[in-house]
Amino acid sequence: MSQERSYSFEFFPAKTEAGHEKLLSTARELAAYNPEFFSCTYGAGGSTRDRTLNTVLQLDGEVGVPTAPHLSCVGDSKAELRELLTLYKNAGIKRIVALRGDLPSGMGLASGELRYANELVSFIREETGEHFHIEVAAYPEMHPQARNFESDIANFVRKAKAGASSAITQYFFNVDSYFYFVERVRKMGVEIPVVPGIMPITNYSKLARFSDACGAEIPRWVRKQLEAYGDDSDSIRAFGEQVVSEMCERLLAGGAPGLHFYTMNLAAPSLAIWNNLKLPR
Ligand code: FAD
């Protein structure tokens, strides 16, 4: 059963040469586990345009794992998006993660011609037909800017109807929120796979900051224990590994169609979970 599931790893483009070398070495280590794909994030507004492009082409070509660029529509014009799509298509890239994106603070209001991810999905389909497998984002705990849960579900349905092939969730630590979300979208007639996004826990203060920004809730019993470990990073890692591994076990046992690891460009935290779960290699 597990062979049919999709396991994938996400990276962000490095800012320095040393960071890029580290990313490549992480990617080579993870490639040995035969993931379905890698993905590489994109700075909304084009801030990582060249770095994302180069990283994707290198991971796909040299490291040899099919790699999906993330593409966001806020801050990019249709012409810029079209150019990137053409570059990726000509390079043999077959999968894209299509997002609205969040402009970095200080970049002003969104200047792109496409305002929401469903418009980007439609644009990609109009421009490239069925060439790309299109991934979209899903939010089991609701996107932080959504008016309410219902409107966020309606937005997800719009993305699926616009032509998304599958979805990756924002990370979460509450398994029920994932199953509830999937049940809700199935009732709306959406059948695309929704793969849980998994964030290994390695550093409490960073995790707390990210989680505040993206609307992921750290359950009190997890937060309190992480806080109590203070600077003891070995204990944070060990506890985090146990919590996230158990969560993944429950997700897979409940029928999740795979796992997408937010690696933060590190191999060990994702592999510890992978090995605990005895996932196929
Ligand atoms: P959308 O699906 O467009 O939704 C954004 C918000 O708008 C939601 O609250 C939705 O309910 C609301 N909405 C949608 N349509 C309408 C409408 N017509 N009227 C009113 N409200 C509406 N960010 C990056 O910048 N780069 C990345 O590489 C990146 N990778 C990501 C990968 C994954 C797997 C995930 C889960 C997130 C990623 N993000 C990335 C973050 C993402 O860009 C942000 O969460 C962003 O705020 C929303 O993007 P979206 O594609 O989900 O937007």
Side-chain angles (χ1 to χ4, degrees):
M1 181 161 85
S2 52
Q3 277 103 321
E4 290 155 23
R5 290 178 160 146
S6 164
Y7 299 104
S8 49
F9 296 108
E10 178 172 317
F11 303 98
F12 59 85
K15 283 195 176 129
T16 62
E17 196 49 43
H20 185 67
E21 285 310 314
K22 190 171 135 227
L23 188 165
L24 290 180
S25 128
T26 296
R28 286 195 185 101
E29 196 177 340
L30 294 174
Y33 288 73
N34 226 354
E36 176 100 4
F37 67 95
F38 285 157
S39 82
C40 181
T41 63
Y42 183 78
S47 59
T48 69
R49 191 181 162 92
D50 292 343
R51 281 187 284 131
T52 298
L53 175 67
N54 293 336
T55 305
V56 165
L57 297 185
Q58 214 170 353
L59 292 176
D60 193 85
E62 286 172 36
V63 181
V65 172
T67 302
H70 294 209
L71 194 57
S72 75
C73 59
V74 282
D76 275 31
S77 66
K78 283 186 179 175
E80 285 165 323
L81 293 167
R82 186 176 292 118
E83 193 187 330
L84 270 179
L85 289 171
T86 306
L87 282 167
Y88 285 130
K89 190 174 168 193
N90 291 343
I93 298 294
K94 290 280 183 53
R95 184 184 298 255
I96 278 208
V97 184
L99 304 145
R100 183 196 73 176
D102 290 316
L103 282 180
S105 54
M107 274 191 76
L109 293 172
S111 54
E113 293 167 76
L114 305 172
R115 289 171 314 152
Y116 295 107
N118 68 300
E119 296 170 21
L120 178 59
V121 174
S122 299
F123 180 73
I124 297 172
R125 287 287 177 238
E126 277 156 31
E127 294 287 321
T128 60
E130 294 303 311
H131 177 82
F132 291 107
H133 177 112
I134 305 179
E135 303 273 358
V136 289
Y139 300 86
E141 296 185 305
M142 201 178 104
H143 184 266
Q145 290 156 11
R147 270 198 311 277
N148 52 45
F149 193 80
E150 296 305 318
S151 67
D152 213 28
I153 292 274
N155 179 49
F156 184 77
V157 173
R158 267 198 300 279
K159 293 197 277 194
K161 297 225 160 113
S165 319
S166 51
I168 302 169
T169 74
Q170 182 56 276
Y171 71 85
F172 56 87
F173 299 107
N174 179 345
V175 174
D176 289 340
S177 70
Y178 168 80
F179 288 120
Y180 181 72
F181 180 88
V182 173
E183 192 187 314
R184 287 296 310 275
V185 302
R186 296 288 179 255
K187 279 186 185 151
M188 304 280 284
V190 171
E191 292 300 332
I192 61 173
V194 180
V195 174
I198 302 301
M199 178 67 87
I201 299 176
T202 54
N203 175 310
Y204 176 59
S205 52
K206 267 194 202 158
L207 181 74
R209 219 175 33 248
F210 275 166
S211 303
D212 274 352
C214 71
E217 189 172 67
I218 308 175
R220 180 181 158 84
W221 66 275
V222 174
R223 188 162 44 85
K224 287 292 175 192
Q225 291 189 71
L226 290 172
E227 275 168 8
Y229 289 129
D231 293 335
D232 178 359
S233 47
D234 286 347
S235 297
I236 292 177
R237 257 197 302 274
F239 174 67
E241 186 188 313
Q242 185 200 344
V243 167
V244 178
S245 299
E246 283 172 11
M247 184 181 89
C248 292
E249 219 165 73
R250 289 174 59 201
L251 287 165
L252 294 173
L259 300 170
H260 178 79
F261 291 92
Y262 294 110
T263 69
M264 308 307 283
N265 293 0
L266 301 171
S270 299
L271 288 183
I273 298 166
W274 184 291
N275 291 327
N276 286 340
L277 296 170
K278 301 189 172 52
L279 295 180
R281 199 171 163 158

Short mmCIF file of all heavy atoms in Angstrom, two decimals, residues 6 11 57 64-65 94 142 190 234 236 238 265 269 279:
data_model
loop_
_atom_site.label_atom_id
_atom_site.label_comp_id
_atom_site.label_asym_id
_atom_site.label_seq_id
_atom_site.Cartn_x
_atom_site.Cartn_y
_atom_site.Cartn_z
N SER A 6 2.80 9.08 -1.99
CA SER A 6 3.79 10.03 -2.50
C SER A 6 4.58 10.63 -1.33
O SER A 6 3.99 11.25 -0.44
CB SER A 6 3.05 11.14 -3.26
OG SER A 6 3.90 12.23 -3.44
N PHE A 11 12.67 22.16 -0.30
CA PHE A 11 13.84 22.97 0.02
C PHE A 11 13.52 24.44 -0.22
O PHE A 11 12.57 24.76 -0.92
CB PHE A 11 15.01 22.60 -0.89
CG PHE A 11 15.38 21.14 -0.84
CD1 PHE A 11 14.90 20.25 -1.80
CD2 PHE A 11 16.16 20.64 0.18
CE1 PHE A 11 15.23 18.90 -1.76
CE2 PHE A 11 16.48 19.29 0.25
CZ PHE A 11 16.01 18.42 -0.73
N LEU A 57 16.62 23.37 -11.55
CA LEU A 57 17.24 22.70 -12.70
C LEU A 57 18.37 21.77 -12.24
O LEU A 57 18.55 20.68 -12.77
CB LEU A 57 17.76 23.74 -13.71
CG LEU A 57 16.66 24.62 -14.33
CD1 LEU A 57 17.23 25.54 -15.41
CD2 LEU A 57 15.51 23.79 -14.93
N GLY A 64 19.01 14.38 -9.94
CA GLY A 64 18.25 13.32 -10.61
C GLY A 64 16.91 12.98 -9.99
O GLY A 64 16.39 11.90 -10.23
N VAL A 65 16.35 13.91 -9.20
CA VAL A 65 15.00 13.67 -8.65
C VAL A 65 14.06 14.67 -9.32
O VAL A 65 14.36 15.88 -9.35
CB VAL A 65 14.98 13.87 -7.12
CG1 VAL A 65 13.56 13.81 -6.57
CG2 VAL A 65 15.85 12.82 -6.44
N LYS A 94 7.92 18.83 -14.92
CA LYS A 94 6.55 18.34 -15.14
C LYS A 94 5.59 18.69 -14.01
O LYS A 94 4.40 18.39 -14.09
CB LYS A 94 6.58 16.81 -15.26
CG LYS A 94 7.21 16.29 -16.53
CD LYS A 94 6.21 16.38 -17.67
CE LYS A 94 6.69 15.85 -18.98
NZ LYS A 94 7.21 14.53 -18.97
N MET A 142 -7.09 26.33 8.55
CA MET A 142 -7.57 27.58 7.93
C MET A 142 -6.41 28.56 7.65
O MET A 142 -5.57 28.78 8.51
CB MET A 142 -8.61 28.27 8.83
CG MET A 142 -9.50 29.22 8.12
SD MET A 142 -10.72 29.91 9.29
CE MET A 142 -10.00 31.52 9.51
N VAL A 190 -14.58 17.18 -4.23
CA VAL A 190 -13.18 17.30 -4.65
C VAL A 190 -12.45 16.01 -4.29
O VAL A 190 -12.41 15.62 -3.14
CB VAL A 190 -12.50 18.51 -3.97
CG1 VAL A 190 -11.00 18.52 -4.22
CG2 VAL A 190 -13.13 19.81 -4.46
N ASP A 234 19.03 18.78 22.20
CA ASP A 234 18.91 17.32 22.00
C ASP A 234 17.54 16.83 22.46
O ASP A 234 16.89 16.02 21.78
CB ASP A 234 19.99 16.57 22.79
CG ASP A 234 21.35 16.73 22.14
OD1 ASP A 234 21.38 17.21 20.97
OD2 ASP A 234 22.36 16.41 22.78
N ILE A 236 14.80 18.67 22.74
CA ILE A 236 13.78 19.22 21.83
C ILE A 236 13.66 18.33 20.60
O ILE A 236 12.57 17.93 20.19
CB ILE A 236 14.13 20.68 21.43
CG1 ILE A 236 13.99 21.59 22.65
CG2 ILE A 236 13.26 21.16 20.26
CD1 ILE A 236 14.37 23.02 22.42
N ALA A 238 14.60 15.16 20.23
CA ALA A 238 14.10 13.80 20.53
C ALA A 238 12.59 13.82 20.75
O ALA A 238 11.86 12.98 20.22
CB ALA A 238 14.83 13.26 21.76
N ASN A 265 16.11 22.45 4.44
CA ASN A 265 17.42 22.14 3.84
C ASN A 265 18.29 21.24 4.71
O ASN A 265 19.52 21.22 4.55
CB ASN A 265 18.19 23.41 3.44
CG ASN A 265 17.50 24.14 2.29
OD1 ASN A 265 16.47 23.71 1.81
ND2 ASN A 265 18.09 25.25 1.86
N PRO A 269 16.56 15.58 10.25
CA PRO A 269 15.26 15.57 10.94
C PRO A 269 14.16 14.82 10.15
O PRO A 269 13.38 14.08 10.74
CB PRO A 269 14.92 17.07 11.07
CG PRO A 269 16.23 17.76 10.98
CD PRO A 269 17.05 16.95 10.03
N LEU A 279 9.50 3.77 6.35
CA LEU A 279 8.98 4.03 5.00
C LEU A 279 9.87 3.33 3.98
O LEU A 279 11.05 3.09 4.25
CB LEU A 279 8.93 5.54 4.73
CG LEU A 279 7.96 6.33 5.61
CD1 LEU A 279 7.99 7.81 5.25
CD2 LEU A 279 6.54 5.79 5.47
#
